[in-house]
Amino acid sequence: MNKPHPLPRLWDYATAHRRAMVLASLYSVLNKIFDLAPPLLIGAAVDVIVAQEDSLLAKFGVQDTGTQLLVLAGLTVFIWAFESFFQYLFQVAWRNLAQSIQHDLRVDTYDHVQNLKLAYFEDRSTGGLLSILNDDINQLERFLNGGVNDIWQVVTTVTVIGGIFFYTAPSVAWMAMLPMPFIIWGSIRFQRTLAPKYAAVREQVGILNGYLANNLSGIATIKSFTAEKHELGRITVESDLYRKANEKAIKFSSAFVPLIRMIIMGGFIAILIFGGRMALSGELAVGVYSVLIFITQRLLWPLTRLGDTLDLYQRAIASTERVLDLLDADALLDDGGTPLDLGLVRGQLTLDSVSFEYANTDNLAVIDNLSLTIPAGETVGIVGSTGAGKTTLVKLLLRFYDVQKGCLSLDGHDLRDLKLADLRKAIGFVSQDIYLFHGTVRENIAYGTFDASDDDIIKAAKIAEAHDFITQLPKGYDTIVGERGQKLSGGQRQRVSIARAILKNPPVLILDEATSSVDNETEALIQRSLEQIAIGRTTIVIAHRLSTIRNADRIFVLEHGKLKEHGKHDKLVAEGGTYARLWGVQTGAQKQ
């Protein structure tokens, strides 16, 4: 099944700026009309020299030849001034319109991307998505900047000059117009052949950008394994494939102008010879013949720009298709729509026979018929060996994924029925994979609680045991942390992240290995602060270090997605099961 052409949907974005588009088109047309006038002035000047008092201007009452030349000089100033004026206007108008449409398309695409399921991002490279959001949308801007204006000016040229030809010399007008069907037919064939070549170019640049983004993110790993030459080799291969894809398109597109030029030459020679014979025999005025010679070039020569215009057009269409494919991605979570009053959330979470498996895992359930209840206001620990399903459970609680069987509810409400934004506002999350944004410490703590006061930010930092180290930074809370917080240590990033969750003040708090990057002393400090944080809210601690959940109200032990054991620390240790074995390994009482 053929995909619909992207132009109708692109037109939807353009129609939102209808007035600007009409004005830009009008400026292009007027600029070209004034641009086409100089050949008429040349013809009039020749007519003044040859016919003198019998010239065309003389028929308008200007008899003196010197005065006629002054009139032509005045018209020249007027025409060139307005041509320049409208050129300025159309360049400003088309460029601003391109920026506006590009802005709308990028914002809509990014908004759509933000709402896609987490699984969509796990299957795709960040660099590939960035290539679409930046490079592909910018490619559309390049076409709107110049290509649309070129099309309007070619249409204006053909219309105006064709009218002049048929009015002044209908017997030879067809000679000038004869090459046009061949040029238009060749242009259409050209763009159809070029389309798949540029689609391949856009696809390859996405792959290349994916490798570049991935390598820049992992530059520390590359350096630590001295893999620079290996990665350079991979980038060289992908870059060369991109070069070759462009090379194929360039070879074909570059042939267009020379071929069109030869067709144009035929029309020019026909006017030169047959129009010249008519002028020699007196059937055609010399001034008119001069106009026809100059204006033939003005009629046909701009058509050579169709090659460049179609080149821009095909690049833009190939890019637009990739953008629209991203917009059409339907990997969206349904928003339940039922509002959730955060002030009334108690925080009881219930899993009733919940099962979940990731795509392409051969029906291997990560969560398998799991049932458990996390009472409101309690602190619970969730433990288990690697692959037990702990992190997946967090993703289900935050509704990054939907359960596939069973029901997961908050205070008796199925999560799938709740308004997604309200659900996530009710849950604070501190991940083991800490992400800090490029900005100040203050901005990172206040992220998500953007209207927080400085006092609240400092209070949250103190509870998270982060205030002391923050005040020792070069600019305190105004210190830039760098991309992904790279200027801070792992433990410092962890505490900033905890402060961010504390400031949010949610009724449910999830800590996924929240002390995994801190030393024992800092862990003890954070443990004391967590005891304060947990008061009055449901706190779920996903723990590898069992010491962090020793005082939890209850502990759930998972194994292969099933509930293996549950109870308090002392009870589980006494039972001698999985938890006791893990505790023994960590305390040194038992070898692994």
Side-chain angles (χ1 to χ4, degrees):
M1 181 177 176
N2 292 329
K3 289 182 4 181
H5 201 277
L7 275 183
R9 289 183 60 186
L10 194 57
W11 177 252
D12 291 340
Y13 285 91
T15 51
H17 307 277
R18 185 181 286 108
R19 183 175 181 275
M21 189 166 53
V22 169
L23 284 176
S25 301
L26 178 63
Y27 298 149
S28 293
V29 170
L30 290 173
N31 167 259
K32 180 48 65 176
I33 289 173
F34 281 102
D35 179 58
L36 293 173
L40 299 179
L41 295 176
I42 293 172
V46 172
D47 189 45
V48 168
I49 300 301
V50 175
Q52 299 186 15
E53 287 81 3
D54 294 325
S55 69
L56 179 64
L57 282 178
K59 294 178 182 178
F60 287 94
V62 185
Q63 297 295 328
D64 180 67
T65 54
T67 305
Q68 290 180 32
L69 291 175
L70 289 175
V71 169
L72 289 176
L75 287 172
T76 299
V77 172
F78 173 81
I79 288 169
W80 282 42
F82 272 88
E83 178 194 354
S84 300
F85 175 65
F86 285 115
Q87 181 174 7
Y88 168 78
L89 289 181
F90 85 65
Q91 286 182 339
V92 170
W94 281 119
R95 288 179 180 180
N96 285 335
L97 182 62
Q99 291 295 327
S100 297
I101 294 175
Q102 172 189 244
H103 166 75
D104 292 347
L105 189 57
R106 177 178 287 117
V107 169
D108 281 359
T109 306
Y110 177 72
D111 181 52
H112 180 77
V113 167
Q114 283 195 128
N115 291 299
L116 293 170
K117 292 179 184 177
L118 195 62
Y120 185 88
F121 300 96
E122 292 173 348
D123 294 336
R124 288 162 180 81
S125 73
T126 302
L129 291 173
L130 283 174
S131 175
I132 295 173
L133 288 169
N134 278 328
D135 197 40
D136 283 318
I137 292 179
N138 288 344
Q139 193 66 55
L140 173 63
E141 177 208 358
R142 295 183 192 106
F143 173 67
L144 291 172
N145 271 347
V148 179
N149 170 70
D150 288 343
I151 291 172
W152 271 117
Q153 296 212 334
V154 166
V155 171
T156 303
T157 299
V158 172
T159 303
V160 172
I161 294 182
I164 293 172
F165 260 102
F166 281 104
Y167 177 76
T168 57
S171 59
V172 295
W174 64 272
M175 297 179 187
M177 308 300 286
L178 185 62
M180 293 186 62
F182 297 99
I183 293 172
I184 294 171
W185 175 83
S187 299
I188 293 172
R189 292 284 299 175
F190 167 81
Q191 85 69 24
R192 286 180 179 173
T193 307
L194 197 58
K197 300 184 186 302
Y198 276 126
V201 168
R202 302 314 313 154
E203 189 65 31
Q204 185 57 38
V205 76
I207 295 171
L208 176 59
N209 283 347
Y211 274 103
L212 290 170
N214 188 62
N215 284 11
L216 290 174
S217 297
I219 193 68
T221 302
I222 292 172
K223 287 179 175 296
S224 68
F225 284 91
T226 60
E228 291 91 342
K229 287 186 178 180
H230 171 74
E231 293 303 332
L232 177 62
R234 292 209 300 173
I235 294 300
T236 301
V237 169
E238 295 302 328
S239 182
D240 193 51
L241 289 174
Y242 175 55
R243 180 188 65 80
K244 288 178 179 177
N246 263 303
E247 189 177 74
K248 292 178 181 178
I250 290 168
K251 281 181 179 178
F252 189 80
S253 63
S254 298
F256 179 79
V257 172
L259 291 174
I260 295 301
R261 187 174 290 170
M262 298 308 294
I263 298 174
I264 289 171
M265 179 185 67
F268 184 79
I269 288 175
I271 292 296
L272 181 70
I273 294 174
F274 292 102
R277 287 179 178 177
M278 290 178 67
L280 289 171
S281 65
E283 299 176 57
L284 196 65
V286 175
V288 174
Y289 175 62
S290 301
V291 170
L292 293 180
I293 288 293
F294 282 109
I295 216 165
T296 299
Q297 185 183 29
R298 283 299 187 93
L299 171 66
L300 298 176
W301 198 251
L303 295 177
T304 60
R305 288 185 57 83
L306 279 176
D308 293 333
T309 303
L310 287 172
D311 190 79
L312 280 174
Y313 171 77
Q314 281 307 331
R315 287 177 181 268
I317 289 300
S319 293
T320 302
E321 285 182 341
R322 280 163 50 84
V323 174
L324 294 180
D325 284 345
L326 182 54
L327 275 171
D328 288 337
D330 59 357
L332 299 170
L333 283 171
D334 294 328
D335 194 340
T338 301
L340 186 65
D341 187 339
L342 298 184
L344 300 178
V345 175
R346 295 182 299 109
Q348 177 170 305
L349 290 159
T350 304
L351 286 81
D352 184 8
S353 303
V354 168
S355 293
F356 177 82
E357 63 184 51
Y358 292 103
N360 305 317
T361 54
D362 298 325
N363 299 318
L364 181 62
V366 183
I367 302 293
D368 187 9
N369 198 35
L370 179 62
S371 295
L372 58 86
T373 297
I374 300 173
E378 286 196 3
T379 297
V380 303
I382 298 178
V383 303
S385 56
T386 302
K390 304 185 297 296
T391 300
T392 299
L393 180 57
V394 171
K395 292 178 180 179
L396 294 177
L397 291 171
L398 286 163
R399 215 183 151 213
F400 291 158
Y401 293 90
D402 276 333
V403 299
Q404 292 158 346
K405 292 180 182 178
C407 177
L408 175 53
S409 62
L410 172 62
D411 293 343
H413 302 289
D414 191 319
L415 299 192
R416 291 167 292 192
D417 296 334
L418 295 174
K419 191 173 181 179
L420 196 56
D422 287 351
L423 170 66
R424 290 178 181 165
K425 285 178 183 177
I427 301 175
F429 178 50
V430 179
S431 171
Q432 59 182 317
D433 183 19
I434 300 301
Y435 190 92
L436 298 185
F437 297 88
H438 182 72
T440 65
V441 174
R442 185 191 316 278
E443 289 168 342
N444 272 281
I445 293 176
Y447 190 81
T449 314
F450 302 106
D451 58 350
S453 67
D454 285 349
D455 288 342
D456 289 337
I457 291 171
I458 292 171
K459 181 180 178 181
K462 286 181 176 178
I463 294 173
E465 302 291 344
H467 178 72
D468 289 344
F469 90 77
I470 292 173
T471 55
Q472 294 174 12
L473 294 173
K475 294 185 179 180
Y477 282 84
D478 293 318
T479 301
I480 299 294
V481 302
E483 189 174 3
R484 298 187 67 90
Q486 60 185 345
K487 291 185 178 180
L488 303 180
S489 70
Q492 289 173 335
R493 290 197 299 269
Q494 200 95 35
R495 282 178 278 174
V496 169
S497 179
I498 292 171
R500 182 163 61 194
I502 293 169
L503 184 62
K504 185 179 179 180
N505 194 29
V508 178
L509 180 62
I510 300 175
L511 305 169
D512 186 5
E513 306 281 9
T515 58
S516 60
S517 299
V518 298
D519 54 39
N520 292 333
E521 182 181 355
T522 305
E523 180 186 359
L525 293 173
I526 292 177
Q527 280 300 114
R528 287 203 302 269
S529 67
L530 290 180
E531 290 176 4
Q532 300 177 49
I533 300 165
I535 297 173
R537 81 180 81 240
T538 304
T539 306
I540 302 168
V541 183
I542 310 295
H544 174 69
R545 292 184 183 178
L546 301 186
S547 57
T548 62
I549 57 167
R550 183 170 185 173
N551 297 320
D553 295 309
R554 66 187 70 201
I555 299 168
F556 296 102
V557 183
L558 301 184
E559 189 172 287
H560 303 303
K562 296 177 180 290
L563 181 60
K564 186 73 173 178
E565 302 166 3
H566 66 94
K568 285 183 172 289
H569 170 81
D570 293 337
K571 171 179 174 292
L572 292 173
V573 171
E575 287 179 352
T578 301
Y579 183 87
R581 177 176 56 80
L582 293 172
W583 177 257
V585 170
Q586 290 193 18
T587 58
Q590 176 180 332
K591 291 186 178 180
Q592 195 166 11

